Amino acid sequence: GELPAVINGKVLDEQQRKAMVWDIERGQANEIQPLPWQTDTCIGGWHYDRGLYERNEYKTAKTVIQTLVDIVSKNGNLMLNIPVRGDGSIDQKERKIVEEIGAWMKTNSECIYGTRPWRIFGEGPAQESAAALNAQGFNEGKGKPFTHKDIRFTTKSGVLYATAMGWPEEGKMLIKSLA
């Protein structure tokens, strides 16, 4: 007799966010949100575009993973669109991206699934230049790219996860928030 459902909405005020999940299109919040929210984005266009394939304009798996980690650290969820061709299949470049994301998740999913934000979402230069949200979102890719100095935090069952957004050349990393 019950039908659980989630209603998403864009451009929601604080009161509306208590009843619906805030959906930020092609962008993300710049701080931890008190209530769950989500980003909807795509590795290319919303619909299959052979030109994006031919010009190698899909987001990389690395970009998608960095986006996912950043969003989860701020109490969000990532809804990722993989556009399909007219026959319902995906092309080999899309498949490679999905497989690379899957390989990363196989090793690192513990810092994503069932986690909650820590007392701060992270540190690093990318956040210092984060672009403001415009209307329902659209701040994706407008700030500095992530580097090894960008760290994002999540927690679950008393464990703190610190995920580096890159690997330092010298192989050593300083996490200032844990000093």
Side-chain angles (χ1 to χ4, degrees):
E2 289 185 32
L3 180 61
V6 174
I7 300 173
N8 297 308
K10 300 178 189 288
V11 194
L12 302 178
D13 63 32
E14 188 176 328
Q15 191 64 24
Q16 291 167 324
R17 291 179 196 172
K18 293 177 182 176
M20 297 188 295
V21 174
W22 182 29
D23 179 78
I24 302 174
E25 185 175 347
R26 292 232 188 223
Q28 56 249 37
N30 289 325
E31 56 192 30
I32 295 173
Q33 296 300 304
L35 297 169
W37 59 281
Q38 80 171 16
T39 288
D40 58 284
T41 193
C42 184
I43 64 167
W46 289 119
H47 305 285
Y48 190 76
D49 180 345
R50 182 68 181 186
L52 292 175
Y53 168 87
E54 291 169 354
R55 294 186 304 271
N56 291 314
E57 292 181 356
Y58 291 143
K59 289 181 179 118
T60 64
K62 178 181 178 181
T63 297
V64 172
I65 292 164
Q66 289 172 330
T67 301
L68 171 67
V69 170
D70 183 62
I71 289 167
V72 170
S73 74
K74 297 171 184 169
N75 204 27
N77 178 62
L78 173 63
M79 181 171 58
L80 181 65
N81 180 47
I82 309 295
V84 298
R85 294 183 278 204
D87 65 1
S89 65
I90 64 174
D91 65 46
Q92 70 266 23
K93 291 179 184 179
E94 291 173 317
R95 180 171 304 284
K96 184 176 186 284
I97 293 165
V98 171
E99 287 171 350
E100 289 173 359
I101 295 167
W104 187 89
M105 288 297 290
K106 186 175 181 180
T107 302
N108 299 286
S109 62
E110 193 171 326
C111 73
I112 299 295
Y113 292 129
T115 61
R116 290 289 160 262
W118 189 46
R119 59 181 177 86
I120 60 172
F121 69 86
E123 62 182 52
Q127 187 57 33
E128 295 163 9
S129 69
L133 290 174
N134 181 10
Q136 68 254 34
F138 303 110
N139 65 349
E140 180 178 85
K142 293 185 179 175
K144 286 184 181 177
F146 290 112
T147 71
H148 71 278
K149 292 181 181 179
D150 293 293
I151 312 291
R152 295 297 179 262
F153 302 108
T154 55
T155 186
K156 177 172 55 179
S157 302
V159 176
L160 174 64
Y161 299 94
T163 305
M165 301 297 230
W167 191 258
E169 292 178 22
E170 63 279 358
K172 293 183 181 181
M173 181 173 301
L174 173 65
I175 302 176
K176 296 176 184 178
S177 300
L178 301 179

